[in-house]
Amino acid sequence: MKINYIDTFTSLTSLVIIPVFETEDEIQFQDFKVASKLFSGKKDTHYITETTLGYLLFLGLGKTPDYKTIKTAFRRISAKQSSHFDQEATLVFPKNFENESIEAAISGLIIGTYKLGHYKKDNTTHPLTQDKFTVHIMCEDNCQEWVENGFKIANAQLETFNLVDLPPNNITPEHLSKWAIETGKKYGFSVEVFGREKSKVIGLHSFLAVGQGSNREPQFIIMDYHPNDSKKHIGLVGKGITFDTGGLNIKVAGMVHMKCDMAGGAAVLGAMQLIADLKLPYRVTAIVPACENSVDAKSFLPSDVIQSYSGSSIEIIDTDAEGRLTLADGLSYLIKNYNPETVIDIATLTGSSLATFGYECGALFTNNESLSQNLQNAGNEIGELLWQLPLWDAYKPDIESEIADVKNYSGKPVAGAISAAKFLEYFTNNHSSWAHLDIAGVSFIDDEFAKTKHASAYGVHLITKFIQNQ
C-alpha cells in the first residue's frame, strides 16, 4: 500500500471516507449535504452515496468517541465494505480530529484487512494489502507521524493475530523462536533461545517439567531491545503454551480453543516488534517460555515434586495449572539475570479471571499502586481495559505445601485467579514493581469480525502504551 498526503481535496478516487461526529445539523462535505434525518453521525452507523465527487462514505463516530470506538469503526468499514476499495481511496480527517484519533483510524483500517481463512483455496487478499493500492490522506496539520504509528500498531497486531489463530501444528515452540529471531533481525533487538538441553544445564526445571510430555522441543526465548541512552529498563514475561491439553489432568471441555494458550506470549512478541518499530527510548527485556503441555508416558504427574530455577521446590496438584510453572522460571530468570526496574507478566492463566470479568477486561495484580494506575491509564487510553484484584496475604495459605516449598494449585473452587497470582508473586523475589495480567477472557474472543473465536491481540498495544507513557 502507498500513502499520499494531500492538502486540499480533489476527486482523486472513487471512494472517499469522511469520519463525522454526531450532530443534529446537516452534514456537509464540499457542496454535498446530508440531512440529519437521513444520517446524523451516530456511533456504529455509516452512510454511502454516489456523487460527482465519487462514492462518499460518511462514517458515524458518535458525539465523543474514544480510541477503541474510532478504531472499530474503521476496522468495520475495511472488513465489511471491502468491495468499495478498488485501487485508491481518500481519507478526509476533519479539523477537530485529534492525532490519537488519526492513529486509531489508520490502525483500524489496516487490521480490518485480516481474515481467518488462512488455509482456504479461495482465500483472497484485501485490496488494501496490495502494493499498488494508494491511500490519499487529507488532514489539517502534519499527521504523518500518527499515520505511521497507526500502521506500526496494526502490523504488530496482525502478526499477533496470526500467531494465535494459526493451528498448533504450525505455531509450535520452534516456530515462535524462529519468529522472534527473524523479527529481531528486522526490527533491531537481540534474541537468545535455550532448547531442552541448555535449559537443563541452566536449571529451568519447572519450565521443562511442563514440556516433558511433548515431542516438540521447548524453547525458552529471551529478547532484548537495548537502545542507546535508554531511560528505563522494563521486563516482560509471556506465557507461551502453544497447546494445552491439561496434561494428565486432561481438560474435559474447550480443548479445541487451547491453541490460544500462548496468547500472552504472542502479546509479548508483538509488543517487542512494536516497541522496536517505534524506536522507544527504553530498554525492554522479554522472555517467552514456549512449550506444549501434552499427554504422554513422560508427562509430569499430579503429586510430583519438581524443582525450579529459583531453587524452590513445587508440589504439583494439577498439571492443568501449567502456565504458572513456566512463568515462574521466566520471572526468576529475568529478575536474577537482568533485574529490570519494572516487571510485567501476561498470560491466559485462569478461567477464574474469565468468570470474574467475562470478556470485558483483563485482571490486574500488583502491590505497587503507581504501577497499577499507570497500567490502567494506558489501557483506558486505547480501550484495553484492566481492573485490579487483591494480592492480600490472606490468600497465601492457598499455595502452601506440606511436602514442598509451594504448590501450584489451591484445589479450591474459589479465588483461582488470585491464588495463581500469589504463586507467581512467590517467584518475583519481592520485586517492588511487578504486575501480573491475566488475560484469559480478552485474548481469544467472539465478535463481529469472524464467525468463530479468534485472536484480539490484547496486550500488544497496552504494553507499548504503558512504556510510551513512562
PDB file of all heavy atoms in Angstrom, residues 289-319:
ATOM      1  N   PRO A 289       8.660 -18.296  27.665  1.00  0.00           N
ATOM      2  CA  PRO A 289       8.915 -19.728  27.809  1.00  0.00           C
ATOM      3  C   PRO A 289       7.872 -20.500  26.998  1.00  0.00           C
ATOM      4  O   PRO A 289       6.698 -20.535  27.358  1.00  0.00           O
ATOM      5  CB  PRO A 289       8.748 -19.977  29.306  1.00  0.00           C
ATOM      6  CG  PRO A 289       8.560 -18.614  29.939  1.00  0.00           C
ATOM      7  CD  PRO A 289       8.031 -17.739  28.859  1.00  0.00           C
ATOM      8  N   ALA A 290       8.306 -21.091  25.888  1.00  0.00           N
ATOM      9  CA  ALA A 290       7.371 -21.712  24.947  1.00  0.00           C
ATOM     10  C   ALA A 290       7.515 -23.227  24.976  1.00  0.00           C
ATOM     11  O   ALA A 290       8.616 -23.766  24.802  1.00  0.00           O
ATOM     12  CB  ALA A 290       7.624 -21.182  23.534  1.00  0.00           C
ATOM     13  N   CYS A 291       6.402 -23.906  25.207  1.00  0.00           N
ATOM     14  CA  CYS A 291       6.396 -25.370  25.172  1.00  0.00           C
ATOM     15  C   CYS A 291       4.966 -25.847  24.988  1.00  0.00           C
ATOM     16  O   CYS A 291       4.037 -25.041  24.916  1.00  0.00           O
ATOM     17  CB  CYS A 291       7.016 -25.962  26.443  1.00  0.00           C
ATOM     18  SG  CYS A 291       6.145 -25.550  27.962  1.00  0.00           S
ATOM     19  N   GLU A 292       4.803 -27.155  24.919  1.00  0.00           N
ATOM     20  CA  GLU A 292       3.489 -27.761  24.697  1.00  0.00           C
ATOM     21  C   GLU A 292       3.185 -28.673  25.880  1.00  0.00           C
ATOM     22  O   GLU A 292       4.023 -29.485  26.276  1.00  0.00           O
ATOM     23  CB  GLU A 292       3.524 -28.558  23.384  1.00  0.00           C
ATOM     24  CG  GLU A 292       2.200 -29.034  22.880  1.00  0.00           C
ATOM     25  CD  GLU A 292       2.364 -29.771  21.548  1.00  0.00           C
ATOM     26  OE1 GLU A 292       2.877 -30.908  21.566  1.00  0.00           O
ATOM     27  OE2 GLU A 292       2.005 -29.208  20.505  1.00  0.00           O
ATOM     28  N   ASN A 293       1.998 -28.543  26.446  1.00  0.00           N
ATOM     29  CA  ASN A 293       1.578 -29.387  27.572  1.00  0.00           C
ATOM     30  C   ASN A 293       0.770 -30.556  27.034  1.00  0.00           C
ATOM     31  O   ASN A 293      -0.418 -30.418  26.739  1.00  0.00           O
ATOM     32  CB  ASN A 293       0.750 -28.561  28.564  1.00  0.00           C
ATOM     33  CG  ASN A 293       0.429 -29.324  29.836  1.00  0.00           C
ATOM     34  OD1 ASN A 293       1.120 -30.271  30.195  1.00  0.00           O
ATOM     35  ND2 ASN A 293      -0.624 -28.915  30.526  1.00  0.00           N
ATOM     36  N   SER A 294       1.422 -31.694  26.873  1.00  0.00           N
ATOM     37  CA  SER A 294       0.810 -32.846  26.220  1.00  0.00           C
ATOM     38  C   SER A 294       0.601 -34.003  27.191  1.00  0.00           C
ATOM     39  O   SER A 294       1.127 -34.014  28.307  1.00  0.00           O
ATOM     40  CB  SER A 294       1.681 -33.319  25.051  1.00  0.00           C
ATOM     41  OG  SER A 294       1.787 -32.319  24.064  1.00  0.00           O
ATOM     42  N   VAL A 295      -0.142 -35.000  26.720  1.00  0.00           N
ATOM     43  CA  VAL A 295      -0.398 -36.209  27.488  1.00  0.00           C
ATOM     44  C   VAL A 295       0.473 -37.327  26.926  1.00  0.00           C
ATOM     45  O   VAL A 295       0.376 -37.679  25.745  1.00  0.00           O
ATOM     46  CB  VAL A 295      -1.884 -36.616  27.410  1.00  0.00           C
ATOM     47  CG1 VAL A 295      -2.133 -37.877  28.220  1.00  0.00           C
ATOM     48  CG2 VAL A 295      -2.775 -35.484  27.894  1.00  0.00           C
ATOM     49  N   ASP A 296       1.332 -37.893  27.776  1.00  0.00           N
ATOM     50  CA  ASP A 296       2.271 -38.915  27.316  1.00  0.00           C
ATOM     51  C   ASP A 296       2.774 -39.672  28.546  1.00  0.00           C
ATOM     52  O   ASP A 296       2.602 -39.229  29.681  1.00  0.00           O
ATOM     53  CB  ASP A 296       3.435 -38.228  26.586  1.00  0.00           C
ATOM     54  CG  ASP A 296       4.401 -39.206  25.948  1.00  0.00           C
ATOM     55  OD1 ASP A 296       4.116 -39.673  24.834  1.00  0.00           O
ATOM     56  OD2 ASP A 296       5.443 -39.491  26.573  1.00  0.00           O
ATOM     57  N   ALA A 297       3.425 -40.800  28.298  1.00  0.00           N
ATOM     58  CA  ALA A 297       4.023 -41.553  29.405  1.00  0.00           C
ATOM     59  C   ALA A 297       5.080 -40.740  30.133  1.00  0.00           C
ATOM     60  O   ALA A 297       5.385 -40.990  31.307  1.00  0.00           O
ATOM     61  CB  ALA A 297       4.628 -42.852  28.877  1.00  0.00           C
ATOM     62  N   LYS A 298       5.650 -39.744  29.438  1.00  0.00           N
ATOM     63  CA  LYS A 298       6.690 -38.919  30.042  1.00  0.00           C
ATOM     64  C   LYS A 298       6.139 -37.677  30.740  1.00  0.00           C
ATOM     65  O   LYS A 298       6.898 -36.916  31.338  1.00  0.00           O
ATOM     66  CB  LYS A 298       7.682 -38.486  28.967  1.00  0.00           C
ATOM     67  CG  LYS A 298       8.434 -39.633  28.307  1.00  0.00           C
ATOM     68  CD  LYS A 298       9.369 -39.104  27.222  1.00  0.00           C
ATOM     69  CE  LYS A 298      10.119 -40.252  26.551  1.00  0.00           C
ATOM     70  NZ  LYS A 298      11.011 -39.751  25.480  1.00  0.00           N
ATOM     71  N   SER A 299       4.829 -37.457  30.651  1.00  0.00           N
ATOM     72  CA  SER A 299       4.229 -36.258  31.236  1.00  0.00           C
ATOM     73  C   SER A 299       4.430 -36.222  32.752  1.00  0.00           C
ATOM     74  O   SER A 299       4.454 -37.265  33.417  1.00  0.00           O
ATOM     75  CB  SER A 299       2.736 -36.206  30.942  1.00  0.00           C
ATOM     76  OG  SER A 299       2.486 -36.116  29.566  1.00  0.00           O
ATOM     77  N   PHE A 300       4.567 -35.021  33.291  1.00  0.00           N
ATOM     78  CA  PHE A 300       4.673 -34.896  34.743  1.00  0.00           C
ATOM     79  C   PHE A 300       3.337 -35.227  35.385  1.00  0.00           C
ATOM     80  O   PHE A 300       2.275 -35.125  34.760  1.00  0.00           O
ATOM     81  CB  PHE A 300       5.217 -33.531  35.155  1.00  0.00           C
ATOM     82  CG  PHE A 300       4.313 -32.341  34.904  1.00  0.00           C
ATOM     83  CD1 PHE A 300       4.135 -31.381  35.897  1.00  0.00           C
ATOM     84  CD2 PHE A 300       3.665 -32.136  33.691  1.00  0.00           C
ATOM     85  CE1 PHE A 300       3.333 -30.264  35.698  1.00  0.00           C
ATOM     86  CE2 PHE A 300       2.859 -31.034  33.479  1.00  0.00           C
ATOM     87  CZ  PHE A 300       2.692 -30.099  34.481  1.00  0.00           C
ATOM     88  N   LEU A 301       3.394 -35.661  36.653  1.00  0.00           N
ATOM     89  CA  LEU A 301       2.239 -36.257  37.304  1.00  0.00           C
ATOM     90  C   LEU A 301       1.683 -35.357  38.410  1.00  0.00           C
ATOM     91  O   LEU A 301       2.440 -34.651  39.083  1.00  0.00           O
ATOM     92  CB  LEU A 301       2.625 -37.595  37.946  1.00  0.00           C
ATOM     93  CG  LEU A 301       3.344 -38.625  37.079  1.00  0.00           C
ATOM     94  CD1 LEU A 301       3.750 -39.816  37.940  1.00  0.00           C
ATOM     95  CD2 LEU A 301       2.468 -39.064  35.931  1.00  0.00           C
ATOM     96  N   PRO A 302       0.375 -35.429  38.638  1.00  0.00           N
ATOM     97  CA  PRO A 302      -0.162 -34.831  39.859  1.00  0.00           C
ATOM     98  C   PRO A 302       0.493 -35.514  41.062  1.00  0.00           C
ATOM     99  O   PRO A 302       0.642 -36.743  41.077  1.00  0.00           O
ATOM    100  CB  PRO A 302      -1.657 -35.152  39.785  1.00  0.00           C
ATOM    101  CG  PRO A 302      -1.916 -35.443  38.339  1.00  0.00           C
ATOM    102  CD  PRO A 302      -0.663 -36.042  37.801  1.00  0.00           C
ATOM    103  N   SER A 303       0.908 -34.729  42.019  1.00  0.00           N
ATOM    104  CA  SER A 303       1.640 -35.133  43.238  1.00  0.00           C
ATOM    105  C   SER A 303       3.149 -35.201  43.040  1.00  0.00           C
ATOM    106  O   SER A 303       3.888 -35.408  44.013  1.00  0.00           O
ATOM    107  CB  SER A 303       1.137 -36.451  43.846  1.00  0.00           C
ATOM    108  OG  SER A 303       1.630 -37.574  43.127  1.00  0.00           O
ATOM    109  N   ASP A 304       3.648 -34.993  41.808  1.00  0.00           N
ATOM    110  CA  ASP A 304       5.091 -34.840  41.623  1.00  0.00           C
ATOM    111  C   ASP A 304       5.591 -33.642  42.433  1.00  0.00           C
ATOM    112  O   ASP A 304       4.859 -32.675  42.665  1.00  0.00           O
ATOM    113  CB  ASP A 304       5.419 -34.575  40.152  1.00  0.00           C
ATOM    114  CG  ASP A 304       5.599 -35.844  39.335  1.00  0.00           C
ATOM    115  OD1 ASP A 304       5.544 -36.928  39.926  1.00  0.00           O
ATOM    116  OD2 ASP A 304       5.780 -35.728  38.104  1.00  0.00           O
ATOM    117  N   VAL A 305       6.845 -33.691  42.827  1.00  0.00           N
ATOM    118  CA  VAL A 305       7.528 -32.520  43.361  1.00  0.00           C
ATOM    119  C   VAL A 305       8.671 -32.192  42.416  1.00  0.00           C
ATOM    120  O   VAL A 305       9.535 -33.047  42.159  1.00  0.00           O
ATOM    121  CB  VAL A 305       8.052 -32.739  44.787  1.00  0.00           C
ATOM    122  CG1 VAL A 305       8.885 -31.536  45.240  1.00  0.00           C
ATOM    123  CG2 VAL A 305       6.890 -32.962  45.755  1.00  0.00           C
ATOM    124  N   ILE A 306       8.635 -31.014  41.848  1.00  0.00           N
ATOM    125  CA  ILE A 306       9.650 -30.600  40.877  1.00  0.00           C
ATOM    126  C   ILE A 306      10.450 -29.436  41.430  1.00  0.00           C
ATOM    127  O   ILE A 306      10.045 -28.785  42.394  1.00  0.00           O
ATOM    128  CB  ILE A 306       9.007 -30.216  39.527  1.00  0.00           C
ATOM    129  CG1 ILE A 306       8.110 -28.972  39.689  1.00  0.00           C
ATOM    130  CG2 ILE A 306       8.219 -31.387  38.936  1.00  0.00           C
ATOM    131  CD1 ILE A 306       7.571 -28.419  38.378  1.00  0.00           C
ATOM    132  N   GLN A 307      11.576 -29.181  40.815  1.00  0.00           N
ATOM    133  CA  GLN A 307      12.415 -28.055  41.186  1.00  0.00           C
ATOM    134  C   GLN A 307      12.127 -26.868  40.259  1.00  0.00           C
ATOM    135  O   GLN A 307      11.431 -27.004  39.255  1.00  0.00           O
ATOM    136  CB  GLN A 307      13.886 -28.444  41.131  1.00  0.00           C
ATOM    137  CG  GLN A 307      14.275 -29.552  42.105  1.00  0.00           C
ATOM    138  CD  GLN A 307      14.001 -29.166  43.545  1.00  0.00           C
ATOM    139  OE1 GLN A 307      14.340 -28.063  43.986  1.00  0.00           O
ATOM    140  NE2 GLN A 307      13.379 -30.083  44.295  1.00  0.00           N
ATOM    141  N   SER A 308      12.693 -25.730  40.564  1.00  0.00           N
ATOM    142  CA  SER A 308      12.510 -24.528  39.756  1.00  0.00           C
ATOM    143  C   SER A 308      13.831 -23.790  39.652  1.00  0.00           C
ATOM    144  O   SER A 308      14.778 -24.057  40.406  1.00  0.00           O
ATOM    145  CB  SER A 308      11.453 -23.615  40.378  1.00  0.00           C
ATOM    146  OG  SER A 308      11.914 -23.103  41.617  1.00  0.00           O
ATOM    147  N   TYR A 309      13.905 -22.841  38.741  1.00  0.00           N
ATOM    148  CA  TYR A 309      15.126 -22.050  38.571  1.00  0.00           C
ATOM    149  C   TYR A 309      15.469 -21.280  39.835  1.00  0.00           C
ATOM    150  O   TYR A 309      16.645 -21.054  40.147  1.00  0.00           O
ATOM    151  CB  TYR A 309      14.955 -21.079  37.396  1.00  0.00           C
ATOM    152  CG  TYR A 309      16.180 -20.241  37.133  1.00  0.00           C
ATOM    153  CD1 TYR A 309      17.269 -20.768  36.426  1.00  0.00           C
ATOM    154  CD2 TYR A 309      16.269 -18.930  37.607  1.00  0.00           C
ATOM    155  CE1 TYR A 309      18.401 -20.008  36.203  1.00  0.00           C
ATOM    156  CE2 TYR A 309      17.396 -18.165  37.380  1.00  0.00           C
ATOM    157  CZ  TYR A 309      18.464 -18.706  36.683  1.00  0.00           C
ATOM    158  OH  TYR A 309      19.590 -17.951  36.468  1.00  0.00           O
ATOM    159  N   SER A 310      14.452 -20.889  40.594  1.00  0.00           N
ATOM    160  CA  SER A 310      14.669 -20.105  41.814  1.00  0.00           C
ATOM    161  C   SER A 310      15.314 -20.912  42.926  1.00  0.00           C
ATOM    162  O   SER A 310      15.816 -20.348  43.903  1.00  0.00           O
ATOM    163  CB  SER A 310      13.340 -19.538  42.317  1.00  0.00           C
ATOM    164  OG  SER A 310      12.532 -20.577  42.837  1.00  0.00           O
ATOM    165  N   GLY A 311      15.274 -22.245  42.798  1.00  0.00           N
ATOM    166  CA  GLY A 311      15.764 -23.110  43.858  1.00  0.00           C
ATOM    167  C   GLY A 311      14.668 -23.641  44.752  1.00  0.00           C
ATOM    168  O   GLY A 311      14.900 -24.523  45.584  1.00  0.00           O
ATOM    169  N   SER A 312      13.463 -23.131  44.613  1.00  0.00           N
ATOM    170  CA  SER A 312      12.332 -23.591  45.411  1.00  0.00           C
ATOM    171  C   SER A 312      11.685 -24.814  44.780  1.00  0.00           C
ATOM    172  O   SER A 312      11.601 -24.934  43.546  1.00  0.00           O
ATOM    173  CB  SER A 312      11.290 -22.472  45.550  1.00  0.00           C
ATOM    174  OG  SER A 312      11.814 -21.381  46.278  1.00  0.00           O
ATOM    175  N   SER A 313      11.208 -25.724  45.618  1.00  0.00           N
ATOM    176  CA  SER A 313      10.511 -26.920  45.131  1.00  0.00           C
ATOM    177  C   SER A 313       9.020 -26.637  45.019  1.00  0.00           C
ATOM    178  O   SER A 313       8.459 -25.810  45.745  1.00  0.00           O
ATOM    179  CB  SER A 313      10.760 -28.097  46.075  1.00  0.00           C
ATOM    180  OG  SER A 313      10.327 -27.753  47.391  1.00  0.00           O
ATOM    181  N   ILE A 314       8.376 -27.347  44.083  1.00  0.00           N
ATOM    182  CA  ILE A 314       6.955 -27.118  43.791  1.00  0.00           C
ATOM    183  C   ILE A 314       6.217 -28.452  43.804  1.00  0.00           C
ATOM    184  O   ILE A 314       6.600 -29.393  43.087  1.00  0.00           O
ATOM    185  CB  ILE A 314       6.761 -26.449  42.418  1.00  0.00           C
ATOM    186  CG1 ILE A 314       7.560 -25.145  42.325  1.00  0.00           C
ATOM    187  CG2 ILE A 314       5.277 -26.194  42.151  1.00  0.00           C
ATOM    188  CD1 ILE A 314       7.597 -24.544  40.921  1.00  0.00           C
ATOM    189  N   GLU A 315       5.172 -28.536  44.588  1.00  0.00           N
ATOM    190  CA  GLU A 315       4.300 -29.704  44.565  1.00  0.00           C
ATOM    191  C   GLU A 315       3.253 -29.510  43.472  1.00  0.00           C
ATOM    192  O   GLU A 315       2.586 -28.476  43.415  1.00  0.00           O
ATOM    193  CB  GLU A 315       3.599 -29.881  45.918  1.00  0.00           C
ATOM    194  CG  GLU A 315       2.672 -31.089  45.952  1.00  0.00           C
ATOM    195  CD  GLU A 315       1.876 -31.190  47.244  1.00  0.00           C
ATOM    196  OE1 GLU A 315       1.913 -30.232  48.059  1.00  0.00           O
ATOM    197  OE2 GLU A 315       1.194 -32.218  47.433  1.00  0.00           O
ATOM    198  N   ILE A 316       3.112 -30.507  42.609  1.00  0.00           N
ATOM    199  CA  ILE A 316       2.144 -30.430  41.515  1.00  0.00           C
ATOM    200  C   ILE A 316       0.816 -31.003  41.986  1.00  0.00           C
ATOM    201  O   ILE A 316       0.685 -32.203  42.222  1.00  0.00           O
ATOM    202  CB  ILE A 316       2.656 -31.196  40.273  1.00  0.00           C
ATOM    203  CG1 ILE A 316       4.007 -30.651  39.824  1.00  0.00           C
ATOM    204  CG2 ILE A 316       1.617 -31.089  39.144  1.00  0.00           C
ATOM    205  CD1 ILE A 316       4.026 -29.173  39.504  1.00  0.00           C
ATOM    206  N   ILE A 317      -0.149 -30.147  42.130  1.00  0.00           N
ATOM    207  CA  ILE A 317      -1.508 -30.559  42.486  1.00  0.00           C
ATOM    208  C   ILE A 317      -2.327 -30.819  41.226  1.00  0.00           C
ATOM    209  O   ILE A 317      -3.126 -31.755  41.176  1.00  0.00           O
ATOM    210  CB  ILE A 317      -2.199 -29.483  43.348  1.00  0.00           C
ATOM    211  CG1 ILE A 317      -1.368 -29.192  44.600  1.00  0.00           C
ATOM    212  CG2 ILE A 317      -3.618 -29.904  43.712  1.00  0.00           C
ATOM    213  CD1 ILE A 317      -1.164 -30.396  45.505  1.00  0.00           C
ATOM    214  N   ASP A 318      -2.095 -29.994  40.205  1.00  0.00           N
ATOM    215  CA  ASP A 318      -2.883 -30.090  38.965  1.00  0.00           C
ATOM    216  C   ASP A 318      -1.961 -29.774  37.795  1.00  0.00           C
ATOM    217  O   ASP A 318      -1.369 -28.693  37.735  1.00  0.00           O
ATOM    218  CB  ASP A 318      -4.044 -29.096  39.025  1.00  0.00           C
ATOM    219  CG  ASP A 318      -5.079 -29.313  37.932  1.00  0.00           C
ATOM    220  OD1 ASP A 318      -4.697 -29.721  36.818  1.00  0.00           O
ATOM    221  OD2 ASP A 318      -6.274 -29.058  38.189  1.00  0.00           O
ATOM    222  N   THR A 319      -1.853 -30.707  36.849  1.00  0.00           N
ATOM    223  CA  THR A 319      -0.983 -30.478  35.683  1.00  0.00           C
ATOM    224  C   THR A 319      -1.593 -29.489  34.702  1.00  0.00           C
ATOM    225  O   THR A 319      -0.915 -29.054  33.767  1.00  0.00           O
ATOM    226  CB  THR A 319      -0.686 -31.803  34.947  1.00  0.00           C
ATOM    227  OG1 THR A 319      -1.917 -32.367  34.450  1.00  0.00           O
ATOM    228  CG2 THR A 319       0.004 -32.794  35.863  1.00  0.00           C
TER     229      THR A 319
END
